[in-house]
Amino acid sequence: MSYPDELLVDIAAMVESQHSSRMSLTVVIPGAVITGRLAPEAMWKQRVAEVLRDSEDLRPFSAAFAGSDPGGDEESSPPKDRPTHLHFHVARILQGSFGIPDTGGMYRVALKDVSAWTIGDIGYSDQ
C-alpha cells in the first residue's frame, strides 16, 4: 500500500482552503509527468462540468461533476478531512520536450500515486 507524501498533502490542503489556483506543480506518476497549476476540487469540477456541457455528445456526463448543488455556494459544503487527489488545470503531460495537449488539460491525480514532485512548471517546447 502506497502512502502519500504528507508535505504534498499539506500543499493540496492549502490549495483547497485558500480556494487558490495559482500554485504550479510538477508530479511524476506511473507512466507520466504532469506539469500545471493546482485548483481546488470544487473549482476543477465546475470547469470540467462546463466543458462537458459545451459538448452535445458529452453533456449528460456534466451532472457527475456538477455536485449536489450545481451553481451553489462551494464554501457552504463541509470540508474534507484531508485531500486524496490533486486537481490540475492548464496542465500538460510532458512527452520528451513537448507538452500535450497544446491548450492544457484538466487532470485528477491520486496523491498516493505521486512518486516525485517539484514546485513550479517544467519547461517544454510547443514546436
Side-chain angles (χ1 to χ4, degrees), residues 3-15 23-30 32-36 38 86 88 94 109-122:
Y3 295 99
D5 180 322
E6 284 301 316
L7 181 54
L8 189 54
V9 173
D10 289 344
I11 290 169
M14 290 179 73
V15 169
M23 178 60 145
S24 294
L25 193 73
T26 299
V27 297
V28 177
I29 59 172
V33 175
I34 298 175
T35 190
L38 295 177
L86 297 170
F88 284 91
L94 297 181
V109 175
L111 281 159
K112 68 179 181 56
D113 292 337
V114 175
S115 61
W117 59 275
T118 188
I119 299 297
D121 290 333
I122 290 183

XYZ file of all heavy atoms in Angstrom, residues 3-15 23-30 32-36 38 86 88 94 109-122:
328
model
N 1.571 5.284 0.509
C 1.108 6.398 1.332
C 1.580 7.700 0.707
O 2.737 7.811 0.300
C 1.651 6.281 2.759
C 1.112 5.073 3.481
C 1.865 3.908 3.571
C -0.154 5.091 4.045
C 1.362 2.787 4.216
C -0.661 3.978 4.691
C 0.103 2.834 4.778
O -0.403 1.730 5.406
N 0.696 8.693 0.644
C 1.103 9.956 0.011
C 2.094 10.728 0.875
O 2.109 10.603 2.099
C -0.214 10.718 -0.125
C -1.131 10.124 0.882
C -0.694 8.695 1.066
N 2.902 11.523 0.221
C 3.853 12.417 0.873
C 3.049 13.448 1.675
O 2.225 14.179 1.119
C 4.687 13.092 -0.221
C 5.722 14.057 0.300
O 5.448 14.783 1.277
O 6.808 14.112 -0.299
N 3.275 13.506 2.974
C 2.496 14.399 3.843
C 2.693 15.877 3.495
O 1.767 16.670 3.628
C 2.816 14.145 5.317
C 2.170 12.882 5.856
C 0.643 12.889 5.748
O 0.002 13.905 6.063
O 0.093 11.848 5.324
N 3.877 16.251 3.034
C 4.105 17.638 2.631
C 3.238 17.965 1.412
O 2.628 19.041 1.337
C 5.578 17.890 2.334
C 5.964 19.306 1.922
C 5.494 20.342 2.946
C 7.465 19.399 1.719
N 3.149 17.042 0.476
C 2.307 17.253 -0.701
C 0.827 17.299 -0.311
O 0.058 18.105 -0.842
C 2.565 16.152 -1.735
C 1.933 16.336 -3.101
C 2.312 17.681 -3.726
C 2.332 15.190 -4.018
N 0.425 16.482 0.632
C -0.957 16.526 1.140
C -1.225 17.890 1.766
O -2.289 18.483 1.554
C -1.219 15.385 2.142
C -2.585 15.541 2.799
C -1.113 14.025 1.458
N -0.259 18.417 2.520
C -0.414 19.746 3.134
C -0.567 20.835 2.071
O -1.386 21.752 2.219
C 0.777 20.074 4.039
C 0.806 19.243 5.313
O -0.229 18.634 5.657
O 1.876 19.203 5.952
N 0.208 20.740 0.992
C 0.098 21.716 -0.102
C -1.290 21.625 -0.734
O -1.942 22.650 -0.978
C 1.215 21.492 -1.144
C 2.565 21.896 -0.544
C 0.924 22.272 -2.431
C 3.757 21.475 -1.377
N -1.755 20.409 -0.982
C -3.091 20.226 -1.560
C -4.164 20.794 -0.633
O -5.122 21.434 -1.088
C -3.351 18.744 -1.837
N -4.002 20.591 0.670
C -4.968 21.126 1.639
C -4.955 22.655 1.632
O -6.011 23.289 1.756
C -4.663 20.588 3.039
N -3.783 23.257 1.465
C -3.704 24.715 1.402
C -4.395 25.246 0.151
O -5.089 26.268 0.205
C -2.255 25.177 1.451
C -1.605 24.973 2.800
S 0.121 25.489 2.824
C -0.097 27.258 2.800
N -4.227 24.570 -0.972
C -4.915 24.980 -2.205
C -6.426 24.921 -1.972
O -7.157 25.842 -2.356
C -4.500 24.084 -3.398
C -5.408 24.313 -4.605
C -3.045 24.338 -3.771
N -1.005 27.893 -7.609
C 0.126 27.047 -7.263
C 0.510 26.150 -8.433
O -0.291 25.328 -8.887
C -0.208 26.190 -6.044
C 0.892 25.247 -5.648
S 2.375 26.159 -5.259
C 3.041 25.184 -3.979
N 1.722 26.309 -8.948
C 2.215 25.458 -10.033
C 2.968 24.274 -9.439
O 3.710 24.421 -8.461
C 3.149 26.251 -10.941
O 2.439 27.258 -11.604
N 2.787 23.118 -10.047
C 3.380 21.895 -9.527
C 3.651 20.950 -10.692
O 2.930 20.951 -11.687
C 2.405 21.233 -8.547
C 2.935 20.121 -7.671
C 3.847 20.682 -6.577
C 1.780 19.380 -7.012
N 4.696 20.159 -10.549
C 5.006 19.089 -11.500
C 5.083 17.795 -10.701
O 5.728 17.752 -9.650
C 6.334 19.366 -12.223
O 6.205 20.600 -12.935
C 6.685 18.256 -13.185
N 4.397 16.762 -11.189
C 4.393 15.480 -10.492
C 4.789 14.357 -11.443
O 4.566 14.433 -12.652
C 3.015 15.155 -9.869
C 2.644 16.173 -8.804
C 1.927 15.055 -10.916
N 5.382 13.320 -10.854
C 5.690 12.095 -11.578
C 4.736 11.034 -11.052
O 4.649 10.800 -9.840
C 7.155 11.653 -11.341
C 7.436 10.327 -12.035
C 8.125 12.738 -11.790
N 3.994 10.438 -11.973
C 3.093 9.342 -11.636
C 3.436 8.190 -12.573
O 4.149 8.393 -13.557
C 1.604 9.756 -11.774
C 1.299 10.214 -13.195
C 1.250 10.839 -10.762
C -0.172 10.452 -13.464
N 2.970 6.982 -12.301
C 3.292 5.873 -13.206
C 2.897 6.202 -14.649
O 1.742 6.487 -14.935
C 2.479 4.711 -12.648
C 2.350 5.027 -11.188
C 2.205 6.531 -11.140
N 3.698 8.848 -16.517
C 3.547 10.232 -16.974
C 4.212 11.226 -16.032
O 4.380 10.965 -14.840
C 2.067 10.590 -17.105
N 4.573 12.372 -16.618
C 4.982 13.544 -15.856
C 3.960 14.617 -16.209
O 3.729 14.899 -17.391
C 6.404 14.019 -16.239
C 6.744 15.317 -15.517
C 7.427 12.938 -15.927
N 3.301 15.167 -15.197
C 2.275 16.188 -15.414
C 2.741 17.484 -14.780
O 3.191 17.501 -13.632
C 0.921 15.756 -14.824
C 0.429 14.488 -15.516
C -0.112 16.877 -14.947
C -0.840 13.911 -14.944
N 2.619 18.564 -15.521
C 3.018 19.876 -15.021
C 1.872 20.854 -15.255
O 1.216 20.802 -16.298
C 4.333 20.348 -15.689
O 4.809 21.508 -15.033
C 4.172 20.624 -17.168
N 1.589 21.696 -14.286
C 0.498 22.651 -14.436
C 0.164 23.330 -13.124
O 0.950 23.297 -12.176
N -2.403 23.834 -9.827
C -3.388 23.151 -8.999
C -4.625 24.027 -8.840
O -4.527 25.254 -8.836
C -2.820 22.841 -7.622
C -1.661 21.862 -7.572
C -1.169 21.707 -6.133
C -2.081 20.513 -8.136
N -4.925 15.466 -6.326
C -4.525 16.773 -6.836
C -5.395 17.042 -8.056
O -5.663 16.131 -8.844
C -3.052 16.759 -7.260
C -2.031 16.492 -6.174
C -0.657 16.266 -6.797
C -1.992 17.656 -5.196
N -5.448 19.308 -11.353
C -4.666 20.182 -12.223
C -5.554 20.807 -13.284
O -6.458 20.157 -13.813
C -3.583 19.375 -12.962
C -2.411 18.996 -12.121
C -2.389 17.804 -11.435
C -1.311 19.836 -12.038
C -1.295 17.443 -10.676
C -0.211 19.490 -11.282
C -0.201 18.289 -10.588
N 4.020 15.803 -20.024
C 5.283 16.016 -20.725
C 5.676 14.746 -21.463
O 5.746 13.663 -20.876
C 6.379 16.424 -19.744
C 6.141 17.742 -19.016
C 7.305 18.044 -18.086
C 5.933 18.887 -19.992
N -5.248 13.563 -10.140
C -4.185 12.610 -9.824
C -4.310 12.200 -8.358
O -4.373 13.058 -7.476
C -2.798 13.265 -10.060
C -1.685 12.337 -9.631
C -2.639 13.679 -11.515
N -4.320 10.905 -8.106
C -4.355 10.413 -6.730
C -3.019 10.734 -6.054
O -1.951 10.447 -6.604
C -4.616 8.913 -6.698
N -3.078 11.348 -4.885
C -1.859 11.691 -4.162
C -1.002 10.468 -3.880
O 0.223 10.542 -3.925
C -2.215 12.405 -2.849
C -2.587 13.871 -3.004
C -3.390 14.360 -1.808
C -1.334 14.703 -3.177
N -1.626 9.335 -3.637
C -0.869 8.118 -3.326
C -0.055 7.608 -4.508
O 0.866 6.830 -4.339
C -1.794 7.022 -2.798
C -2.763 6.472 -3.814
C -3.625 5.375 -3.215
C -4.588 4.792 -4.195
N -4.003 4.269 -5.418
N -0.396 8.073 -5.732
C 0.318 7.629 -6.930
C 1.514 8.500 -7.287
O 2.269 8.162 -8.197
C -0.633 7.583 -8.128
C -1.670 6.488 -7.990
O -1.427 5.518 -7.248
O -2.733 6.607 -8.627
N 1.684 9.620 -6.602
C 2.785 10.533 -6.920
C 4.077 9.980 -6.322
O 4.182 9.788 -5.114
C 2.502 11.954 -6.373
C 3.689 12.869 -6.602
C 1.242 12.523 -7.017
N 5.070 9.737 -7.192
C 6.346 9.202 -6.715
C 7.413 10.284 -6.554
O 8.380 10.085 -5.832
C 6.853 8.095 -7.642
O 7.058 8.600 -8.949
N 7.229 11.416 -7.242
C 8.160 12.542 -7.124
C 7.415 13.807 -7.527
O 6.448 13.754 -8.280
C 9.379 12.334 -8.025
N 7.868 14.945 -7.017
C 7.216 16.204 -7.362
C 8.163 17.367 -7.131
O 9.155 17.241 -6.420
C 5.920 16.395 -6.565
C 6.092 16.396 -5.071
C 6.136 15.305 -4.256
C 6.239 17.530 -4.212
N 6.310 15.687 -2.946
C 6.363 17.059 -2.895
C 6.265 18.901 -4.438
C 6.516 17.908 -1.802
C 6.412 19.745 -3.355
C 6.536 19.234 -2.057
N 7.839 18.486 -7.768
C 8.590 19.716 -7.557
C 7.643 20.895 -7.724
O 6.655 20.803 -8.464
C 9.796 19.832 -8.523
O 10.585 20.961 -8.151
C 9.358 19.993 -9.970
N 7.947 21.959 -7.053
C 7.169 23.192 -7.187
C 7.500 23.818 -8.536
O 8.648 23.856 -8.957
C 7.525 24.191 -6.048
C 7.198 23.584 -4.675
C 6.820 25.524 -6.254
C 5.751 23.278 -4.440
N 6.494 24.321 -9.230
C 6.671 25.018 -10.484
C 6.412 24.145 -11.685
O 6.285 22.926 -11.601
N 6.310 24.820 -12.838
C 6.131 24.146 -14.112
C 7.488 23.772 -14.680
O 8.429 24.547 -14.567
C 5.438 25.058 -15.131
C 3.987 25.312 -14.801
O 3.368 24.469 -14.154
O 3.478 26.360 -15.221
N 7.553 22.633 -15.322
C 8.759 22.271 -16.057
C 8.591 22.801 -17.467
O 7.523 22.627 -18.069
C 8.969 20.749 -16.064
C 9.352 20.276 -14.672
C 10.034 20.355 -17.080
C 9.645 18.803 -14.560
